Amino acid sequence: MLLSVVIPVFNEAEVLPLTLQELRRVLGNLGCEWEAVFVNDGSNDLTAEIIGAEARRDRRIKVIHFARNFGHQLAVTAGLDFASGDAVVVMDADLQDPPDLLPQMLGLYNEGYDVVSPQRISRESDSHLKRWTARAFYWIMRKMVDPRLQPQVGDFRLFSRAAVLSIRQFREQHRFMRGLVAWLGLREVVIPFERQPRVAGETKYPFWKMLRFAWTAISSFSAMPLRMAISCGIILTVLGAMYS
Ligand code: UDP
Ligand code: MG
């Protein structure tokens, strides 16, 4: 049994030494083989040097370097393409997704689930703005895009090999991973967890980037914006014809 952990990283030099230490501690006690696949998403701090050195020392640590910053969703995609585990966990580099949850997630995988989804039961560590926008985001997405989306579940998840092979078949450039996972309808279990504060460094998702993420999520996964634009066009054409 091989467990892969996929970690997208963008300018995370401050937090990486701690993340590596925590990962080694938890993965070392799992009782299975493991690999950690870091996807360096065009960082311009010391991220590349830190992971590069680690990868040279330990063959279980692998790194993909992007030529520029392509964004978190594409970094996760590359990691899932590259990971060779029987199960693959995607997690952030900043320890907001606690590695201590891995044994429980692996246990549920062993029970036969294809997707294990930790669900944030509290967002105390997030700012008011982040909490409010996240709530609005999930509400809109569930009501208007896909009710199968799990609320308060992010990209921190475990996927079975079968799930990874299904996800790999999607090659969209503008993608919303959570939408894909919901749409696939895989055998999923949701477990509660407390999202931790970022241990060091700053969020790489400023407000404008979150807005862009939300827009990609809606427009890549739903025909709703297109339908709205067409409906507006028809209404305006009719009104124009009536009043001209
Ligand atoms: N990240 C990335 N590319 C980006 C932005 C973020 O690879 O363009 C990574 C980042 O290094 C982290 C994860 O994605 O490992 C989540 O980002 P962050 O923690 O800043 O987001 P937040 O938790 O604040 O929403
Ligand atoms: Mg974070």
Side-chain angles (χ1 to χ4, degrees):
M1 157 84 201
L2 173 70
L3 175 72
S4 304
V5 182
V6 167
I7 306 170
V9 275
F10 178 50
N11 292 344
E12 299 286 9
E14 272 183 72
V15 78
L16 271 175
L18 208 57
T19 308
L20 285 158
Q21 184 187 324
E22 276 293 284
L23 272 179
R24 282 186 195 287
R25 178 180 66 77
V26 175
L27 292 172
N29 288 327
L30 280 182
C32 66
E33 300 282 302
W34 61 267
E35 65 171 5
V37 179
F38 286 88
V39 185
N40 170 21
D41 187 12
S43 302
N44 43 36
D45 64 353
L46 288 176
T47 293
E49 284 79 2
I50 295 172
I51 316 240
E54 207 67 31
R56 279 191 295 279
R57 274 200 289 142
D58 186 342
R59 292 169 58 111
R60 296 172 299 184
I61 300 209
K62 292 156 191 179
V63 52
I64 300 168
H65 294 288
F66 279 1
R68 65 165 175 86
N69 180 239
F70 282 90
H72 170 263
Q73 298 284 292
L74 289 180
V76 170
T77 304
L80 287 178
D81 285 350
F82 189 83
S84 41
D86 302 294
V88 182
V89 170
V90 175
M91 68 195 302
D92 288 356
D94 57 5
L95 295 177
Q96 284 203 276
D97 305 332
D100 279 321
L101 222 55
L102 292 180
Q104 190 189 354
M105 293 168 79
L106 202 58
L108 287 161
Y109 160 78
N110 285 328
E111 282 179 27
Y113 289 101
D114 280 311
V115 182
V116 182
S117 304
Q119 185 175 46
R120 299 155 191 182
I121 49 166
S122 95
R123 297 187 77 114
E124 295 301 315
S125 58
D126 286 339
S127 66
H128 281 293
L129 177 70
K130 182 106 187 178
R131 266 188 261 174
W132 188 85
T133 48
R135 208 174 305 140
F137 174 74
Y138 282 106
W139 188 84
I140 292 173
M141 294 303 288
R142 278 167 61 83
K143 281 266 180 275
M144 297 164 92
V145 177
D146 196 328
R148 283 167 299 201
L149 270 176
Q150 298 285 3
Q152 303 302 333
V153 170
D155 288 307
F156 176 35
R157 275 178 150 154
L158 177 145
F159 301 108
S160 69
R161 181 106 198 123
V164 171
L165 293 179
S166 303
I167 294 168
R168 276 187 195 167
Q169 292 181 37
F170 293 86
R171 303 316 310 172
E172 288 98 332
Q173 186 190 335
H174 298 283
R175 56 172 45 215
F176 176 49
M177 289 292 300
R178 295 168 219 178
L180 280 185
V181 175
W183 187 81
L184 280 168
L186 299 157
R187 210 165 115 76
E188 178 176 17
V189 59
V190 173
I191 54 172
F193 87 111
E194 297 257 357
R195 187 150 157 94
Q196 304 300 313
R198 177 180 256 282
V199 288
E202 308 235 303
T203 178
K204 307 302 173 311
Y205 264 103
F207 187 66
W208 62 269
K209 220 169 174 177
M210 275 193 321
L211 272 186
R212 205 173 61 183
F213 174 73
W215 179 244
T216 303
I218 293 174
S219 59
S220 70
F221 214 78
S222 159
M224 192 188 64
L226 187 63
R227 288 195 196 116
M228 275 168 62
I230 293 172
S231 308
C232 283
I234 292 173
I235 291 168
L236 287 177
T237 308
V238 171
L239 285 178
M242 276 164 57
Y243 291 103
S244 61

